[in-house]
Amino acid sequence: MPCIVRFHEIGGPEVLSLDEVAVPQPGPDEVVIEARALGLNRAEEMFRSGQYVQEPVLPAKIGYEVAGIVQAVGANVTHVRVGDAVSVIPAFGMNDYGMHGEVVLAPAHAVVAHPQHLSWDEAAAAWMMFITAYGGLIDLAGVGEGDTVLIPAASSSVGLAAIQICTMVGATPVALSRTSSKRQALLEHGAAAVIATQEQDVLAEVRRLTGGTGARVAFDPVGGPGFAELTAALAKDGIILVYGALSSEATPLPVMDVLGKHLTIRGYELFELTTDPERRARATEFVYNGLDSGALKPVVSTTFTLDEIVASHEYLASNQQFGKIIVRVTP
């Protein structure tokens, strides 16, 4: 029998196990996928440790991203066929479906064919990072030609996706990182400029880069004390999209900046887009076209094998990665 990744108690990476399960049978609107590669995300770490928006139902499946080969389809599924190479868009709850395993069951609406030139690693890495960035930057903020965008946690997979999407639409991506250790790598991956937030004056640097006007958009997964620097560095009528809370410290609300500059602070999470069929379709088309043309290219940090699933989550927790962590599944 194939194995899937599960956990039987909430905790650290050590609670993950490979459990043998029967091959799933697809319902009318489901697809069975024989996995080739799995993508890891911060959401899975939070889900496993009981800090996510969903409380795990134990024993809990886990995983939002997989790339592999269609093994079976339900009666209503017509857009993919047995034998197709596909990926999965995060458009479901992990209590309902878990994508990390050797053979997994996915809802048909989340299964997409990917450009043939992508490797399995790239296909497993693509959708969470690029659709998350697309949803905030394009769907909500309408980022385009001439906009300056501040991107905290820029070396994360979503941060790197945001840099690429900004470049694709003619905006100027300014990467924010705690130290200058990743400066060169971020510049090589498309950042127009890099600000080391623990070493430089963020406001002064943004003013210098924008001729004193400030940035129009900040795409922030961090929060915490640095939030005040972002509001200070925004232009009048600027937008802050908050899509995470990586900082464990309190997030201030700089009221005078918000009032004086007419700022918009918008909470954003991926599933408001991926559970809306029309918005999901637009996002999928945008990302697929970008991947197909080469304008968007997933950045893979490190690869593990499925029997190293605990080690892969330990590496995720270490925050050493530059891009996406991939777990390879041997057919």
Side-chain angles (χ1 to χ4, degrees), residues 17-178:
S17 61
L18 294 177
D19 295 349
E20 289 190 349
V21 296
V23 175
Q25 295 301 308
D29 299 298
E30 294 178 323
V31 176
V32 177
I33 300 170
E34 186 178 304
R36 292 291 181 269
L38 318 171
L40 263 61
N41 298 284
R42 192 70 61 185
E44 288 131 13
E45 178 184 40
M46 296 174 71
F47 184 64
R48 186 206 69 227
S49 59
Q51 300 174 346
Y52 196 46
V53 291
Q54 279 187 337
E55 186 73 20
V57 177
L58 302 173
K61 303 179 291 293
I62 194 169
Y64 277 127
E65 290 186 284
V66 64
I69 298 170
V70 174
Q71 190 178 86
V73 299
N76 296 337
V77 179
T78 58
H79 69 293
V80 295
R81 298 179 298 179
V82 172
D84 284 354
V86 297
S87 309
V88 171
I89 295 170
F92 48 86
M94 281 187 281
N95 281 324
D96 299 317
Y97 296 95
M99 294 300 112
H100 289 178
E102 294 176 320
V103 178
V104 296
L105 184 68
H109 69 262
V111 178
V112 292
H114 53 254
Q116 293 183 3
H117 65 79
L118 294 186
S119 68
W120 290 122
D121 290 358
E122 290 171 330
W127 294 99
M128 173 73 90
M129 61 189 288
F130 285 118
I131 287 189
T132 300
Y134 164 91
L137 298 177
I138 307 301
D139 184 75
L140 293 178
V143 167
E145 188 78 32
D147 288 333
T148 297
V149 179
L150 306 181
I151 306 172
S155 62
S156 69
S157 59
V158 175
L160 294 169
I163 289 171
Q164 293 185 37
I165 286 176
C166 285
T167 302
M168 183 176 171
V169 300
T172 301
V174 176
L176 274 60
S177 188
R178 286 177 296 176

Side-chain angles (χ1 to χ4, degrees), residues 275-324:
T275 56
D276 180 319
E278 291 184 4
R279 294 171 72 191
R280 184 176 67 241
R282 290 194 295 269
T284 302
E285 181 180 18
F286 180 95
V287 173
Y288 184 96
N289 289 340
L291 293 169
D292 197 36
S293 70
L296 303 180
K297 186 173 177 60
V299 179
V300 175
S301 170
T302 311
T303 62
F304 292 84
T305 60
L306 186 58
D307 61 1
E308 297 174 319
I309 190 65
V310 171
S312 72
H313 275 245
E314 290 172 342
Y315 189 76
L316 177 66
S318 75
N319 295 317
Q320 298 177 63
Q321 67 271 21
F322 188 95
K324 180 76 78 170

